[in-house]
Amino acid sequence: MGVRPASRKALSSVWSVPHVSQVKAVNVEIQVVLGRATIPMAQLLRMGRGAVIPLDTTVNEEVWILANNHPVARGEIQIAEDKIAIAVTREANVYDYMAGGA
């Protein structure tokens, strides 16, 4: 009375059928990274309302777009009236992101 493993044909038919409706239901958290900074904890603890943290980026530099904390694209900030948006400009290079580069 042993359990027989599923046949290759049975497994391939299960995995080859796209479950598009299930994929569409998955939530993805999107983050936009404007820049980075490293500061001593003592300085962070002294910060109050209105404190400014200088970032390692310039005004016209591309931002990082992350999906579930993974870099997926680069983009540009766009401002229209009172809304802020990000225009995707290119695919992200994960090695650049990990190195803190552009």
Side-chain angles (χ1 to χ4, degrees):
M1 288 196 85
V3 176
R4 288 186 8 210
S7 70
R8 279 185 194 254
K9 185 176 181 180
L11 286 176
S12 66
S13 67
V14 169
W15 294 111
S16 65
V17 176
H19 299 286
V20 176
S21 61
Q22 291 176 341
V23 171
K24 288 181 179 180
V26 174
N27 289 326
V28 178
E29 180 180 339
I30 301 296
Q31 298 172 315
V32 176
V33 179
L34 303 175
R36 300 176 181 177
T38 302
I39 59 175
M41 181 59 79
Q43 182 180 349
L44 179 64
L45 293 172
R46 287 192 311 266
M47 288 185 176
R49 185 180 183 129
V52 176
I53 301 172
L55 302 175
D56 65 349
T57 188
T58 62
V59 173
N60 295 319
E61 198 169 322
E62 289 179 308
V63 296
W64 289 98
I65 302 169
L66 310 181
N68 290 342
N69 291 323
H70 298 282
V72 294
R74 299 298 303 265
E76 295 175 345
I77 298 172
Q78 294 186 343
I79 300 173
E81 297 176 19
D82 62 343
K83 301 288 183 186
I84 299 173
I86 305 300
V88 176
T89 56
R90 63 185 168 109
E91 185 178 336
N93 181 327
V94 72
Y95 299 108
D96 284 344
Y97 180 78
M98 298 306 282

